[in-house]
Amino acid sequence: MAEEAEDDASKTEEPTAKRLEDAREKGQVVASREINHWMIFSGATLAAVFLGTSMWQNLSKSLRPFLDRPHEFSFEGAGLQRVIASALFDPLLAILPLLAILMVAALAAQLLQNGLLFSAEPLIPKFSKISPFAGFKRLFSSHSIVEFLKGLAKITIVSIVCWYALEGEIANVSRFIDMEPLELMRVIGSLSLVVMVAVIAVMTLIAGGDYFYQRFQHYKRLRMSKQEIKDEYKQSEGDPVVKGRIKQLRMERARRRMMSAIPKATVVVTNPTHFAVALQYDDSTPAPICIAKGSDLIALKIRELAAKHQVPVVENKPLARALYATVEIDAEIPQEHYKAVAEVISYVLNLKKRLAPKSAPANAPR
């Protein structure tokens, strides 16, 4: 018990969307029986108001032969079958509209609370459902006690409302003795309607309060500890440590690939110490391409490799800073930097031409 209390105390966080969705797939949703009772009772009231007279007439018509001429029925062979069919199916057909309305009301109560929901989880056999010990615990659990007190309070409130609705008629109940049967039925129908409307009004308040209570209890049962939230995040998004390691490996591979491309660069534009951008340009590309870039230590490494492989390094602070911020690796430089980069590359190419050794004449003596 102490471990369960400690476990419940650690669950201080509201359930996540995934936790709620998993619970819904298992059939664990907010369910207020008072909403069901309210919808069914309201459906019965509507049926009594709009279909009560016709249903009563059809029911009376189906049962009247059994009262007017019971001696005419045959209880042998096919006659007995007709009697049973008339006694069962004719009254059922008479009240069929009422049954249909009650069924629609019950389905509407479910749709109103949770929408369409199909789950086979509640149908799976579980030992806890047939265990006497588990059943005893459920019977005398705090939840069962609260539900019992709620039911008792509802019956008390509805009884009080019915009493006040009929208080004036109860004092004059003796006048019903002298009424004709049809008039008595009309009075009883009218009083029943008053009682039903009063009960619906109070059940509306009860159902609304119970729904919010059940919602609170549902979210309370699904509360999570901080560790559970972390574990759920790891399952859905992946372990942050593993993701960080994968990202680091990708960055290292990209850096090695970038460094291996520096010997092919046409020029390296520097800040001179904070940024370095290696550009490659030849006749096969419409514009210079950034093949490497970096800041601080990576910029230093780029300059070292450029010096090692005799790649020209040009200091241009504004251009280096702009290229580092706007151009991606293996992408062409933006058009707004064409002129500045063209001047740098033109300077580098002219410098290479001047420094290149002059080739010997073709007819020079050997």
Side-chain angles (χ1 to χ4, degrees):
M1 295 293 292
E3 293 180 357
E4 293 180 1
E6 184 178 352
D7 185 62
D8 291 339
S10 65
K11 295 184 177 182
T12 58
E13 307 301 316
E14 292 298 318
T16 61
K18 184 178 183 302
R19 180 67 173 265
L20 294 173
E21 185 62 27
D22 292 343
R24 179 179 174 85
E25 292 178 357
K26 297 178 181 178
Q28 301 174 6
V29 292
V30 180
S32 171
R33 288 183 294 181
E34 301 303 330
I35 295 287
N36 297 342
H37 298 164
W38 174 72
M39 289 292 293
I40 292 173
F41 195 83
S42 300
T45 303
L46 292 175
V49 171
F50 295 103
L51 303 175
T53 302
S54 61
M55 283 193 300
W56 176 254
Q57 291 175 351
N58 294 334
L59 185 61
S60 300
K61 183 179 179 180
S62 64
L63 297 177
R64 183 173 298 170
F66 294 94
L67 300 176
D68 293 345
R69 52 182 193 278
H71 56 280
E72 297 181 1
F73 291 105
S74 174
F75 295 94
E76 296 180 359
L80 180 60
Q81 295 179 358
R82 285 193 294 270
V83 170
I84 295 175
S86 299
L88 294 178
F89 294 107
D90 291 346
L92 181 62
L93 290 175
I95 64 172
L96 189 60
L98 174 62
L99 298 178
I101 290 176
L102 296 181
M103 185 179 296
V104 171
L107 293 175
Q110 173 64 32
L111 294 175
L112 180 65
Q113 296 183 78
N114 300 295
L116 288 175
L117 176 62
F118 300 97
S119 176
E121 184 75 15
L123 302 178
I124 299 176
K126 295 181 180 179
F127 178 75
S128 59
K129 295 181 180 180
I130 60 175
S131 171
F133 180 72
F136 182 82
K137 287 181 62 178
R138 287 195 301 269
L139 185 62
F140 293 96
S141 64
S142 58
H143 176 73
S144 299
I145 295 174
V146 170
E147 291 297 322
F148 172 76
L149 294 177
K150 280 169 48 186
L152 187 61
K154 184 180 74 170
I155 293 175
T156 303
I157 294 172
V158 172
S159 300
I160 294 173
V161 169
C162 292
W163 171 265
Y164 277 104
L166 298 175
E167 184 179 11
E169 298 296 335
I170 292 176
N172 301 321
V173 69
S174 58
R175 68 187 182 90
F176 296 157
I177 300 175
D178 300 327
M179 287 185 179
E180 294 293 331
L182 292 178
E183 183 182 359
L184 179 62
M185 293 300 297
R186 284 195 294 268
V187 172
I188 292 176
S190 177
L191 293 177
S192 299
L193 181 60
V194 172
V195 170
M196 295 174 81
V197 171
V199 170
I200 288 176
V202 71
M203 285 185 66
T204 302
L205 299 177
I206 294 174
D210 184 68
Y211 176 79
F212 286 105
Y213 171 76
Q214 296 296 340
R215 182 181 176 86
F216 170 77
Q217 289 294 105
H218 177 70
Y219 276 75
K220 183 179 179 181
R221 286 191 296 269
L222 296 179
R223 280 179 182 173
M224 307 171 66
S225 64
K226 293 181 179 180
Q227 185 60 41
E228 287 176 332
I229 292 179
K230 292 179 181 178
D231 294 341
E232 181 185 284
Y233 176 79
K234 289 180 180 179
Q235 292 176 0
S236 59
E237 302 294 335
D239 192 335
V241 177
V242 176
K243 291 180 65 178
R245 180 57 180 165
I246 293 175
K247 183 178 180 180
Q248 182 181 2
L249 292 174
R250 289 176 178 173
M251 291 178 62
E252 290 177 357
R253 286 197 297 267
R255 189 178 296 116
R256 286 196 297 268
R257 182 173 58 86
M258 182 178 68
M259 294 303 179
S260 65
I262 291 176
K264 304 176 184 178
T266 304
V267 63
V268 173
V269 183
T270 64
N271 194 27
T273 57
H274 293 298
F275 302 108
V277 180
L279 303 177
Q280 182 183 24
Y281 177 73
D282 53 39
D283 297 336
S284 62
T285 57
I289 297 175
C290 173
I291 59 174
K293 71 174 184 177
S295 61
D296 299 330
L297 292 178
I298 297 178
L300 177 61
K301 185 66 175 178
I302 292 175
R303 292 197 303 272
E304 290 178 353
L305 289 174
K308 180 179 179 181
H309 295 279
Q310 298 181 351
V311 176
V313 178
V314 177
E315 179 182 334
N316 190 323
K317 297 180 180 180
L319 181 59
R321 186 182 298 109
L323 291 175
Y324 180 84
T326 58
V327 67
E328 298 295 331
I329 297 176
D330 295 331
E332 295 180 358
I333 64 172
Q335 292 184 358
E336 58 266 25
H337 301 311
Y338 276 6
K339 182 178 180 181
V341 172
E343 292 177 354
V344 171
I345 292 178
S346 177
Y347 166 77
V348 169
L349 295 179
N350 291 331
L351 182 63
K352 285 183 177 180
K353 289 180 180 180
R354 289 199 301 268
L355 296 179
K358 295 182 180 180
S359 58
N363 55 356
R366 300 182 180 180

